[in-house]
Amino acid sequence: MNDSNDFEQISPTTLADLLGRGQVMDIGIRPLWPSVPRVAGPAFTVRCPPGDNLMLHAAIHRAEPGSVIVVESGDVDYALAGGNVCAVAQRRGIAAFVADGVIRDLAEVREIGFPVFARGVIPIPGTKKAVGPLNRRVRCGGVDVDAGDIVVADEEGIVVVPRAGHEQVLLDARAKAAKEAAESLDTWEAAHRARIDDILRSGGFEG
């Protein structure tokens, strides 16, 4: 899905305006090191039960380069991955991890510059026992994610663009971004104040 590269030029803020709250992951899933670059790529989905990380470790050897590995985790008590797993994922060309869980070895991950968006850090690893399927629908950060959906993530947040219709979303996002770039702050301010004043008047505000 080469279009996923084009989404790197689109802010999650623009996409959120177009797609709505339902496609935006909750605020608990955040970049784990500062100034993480924007990433975009097709989702490679993984589900890990509580305390186990086997299938994420399997996924790093099976996901295509450019993929964003999206993980539904059963808990935040055991780490899904550490420094070596992130380093191998980076070596294989995986764009990022987006995990509804926690990792460990953050200093190592930060040093190699591998983007991880997750709920936090804990030093204890999970076990590797639970075998399950890959690339099935998962729920991550309150959003249902299917394999091949486009995941766009940066410091502003994480948006999931459904695979079906993603071309139109890209066109609409480009048009919206171009319109906003062409609008001066003076023009925006005048329109914004007029809109706010209209809402206030309709609500009976005086002042």
Side-chain angles (χ1 to χ4, degrees):
M1 191 176 295
N2 294 331
D3 286 348
S4 63
N5 294 332
D6 297 326
F7 275 93
E8 287 185 0
Q9 308 305 316
I10 307 297
S11 168
T13 303
T14 299
L15 293 170
D17 287 346
L18 293 172
L19 294 171
R21 180 66 188 86
Q23 295 305 118
V24 180
M25 293 191 187
D26 70 55
I27 63 170
I29 302 181
R30 304 296 299 166
L32 292 189
W33 48 272
S35 302
V36 170
R38 181 179 302 147
V39 297
F44 188 98
T45 57
V46 181
R47 182 179 291 114
C48 292
D52 197 281
N53 58 32
L54 174 65
M55 295 318 296
L56 171 56
H57 289 235
I60 66 170
H61 300 290
R62 290 161 176 80
E64 292 293 326
S67 299
V68 175
I69 293 184
V70 179
V71 188
E72 176 184 330
S73 176
D75 66 272
V76 290
D77 296 318
Y78 297 89
L80 292 164
N84 285 343
V85 169
C86 291
V88 171
Q90 184 182 56
R91 177 185 290 177
R92 297 203 65 256
I94 291 165
F97 287 168
V98 174
D100 202 331
V102 293
I103 70 161
R104 67 180 194 161
D105 301 330
L106 179 58
E108 295 177 27
V109 177
R110 183 174 58 242
E111 184 175 351
I112 66 172
F114 182 68
V116 177
F117 301 79
R119 293 204 180 272
V121 181
I122 201 166
I124 188 168
T127 60
K128 296 172 182 60
K129 297 179 180 178
V131 176
L134 294 169
N135 273 331
R136 302 290 178 88
R137 175 174 286 189
V138 300
R139 190 159 179 85
C140 184
V143 180
D144 290 332
V145 185
D146 290 310
D149 288 350
I150 304 296
V151 180
V152 183
D154 67 13
E155 62 187 3
E156 296 291 339
I158 306 159
V159 180
V160 179
V161 181
R163 176 176 49 185
H166 76 274
E167 298 95 340
Q168 187 61 52
V169 173
L170 181 59
L171 290 173
D172 292 344
R174 284 172 168 165
K176 179 175 171 57
K179 179 181 177 182
E180 291 173 349
E183 185 179 49
S184 71
L185 181 58
D186 289 342
T187 301
W188 184 90
E189 181 183 9
H192 177 260
R193 178 162 186 173
R195 176 171 173 262
I196 297 302
D197 287 348
D198 283 345
I199 296 171
L200 291 173
R201 277 193 298 272
S202 68
F205 178 80
E206 297 180 3

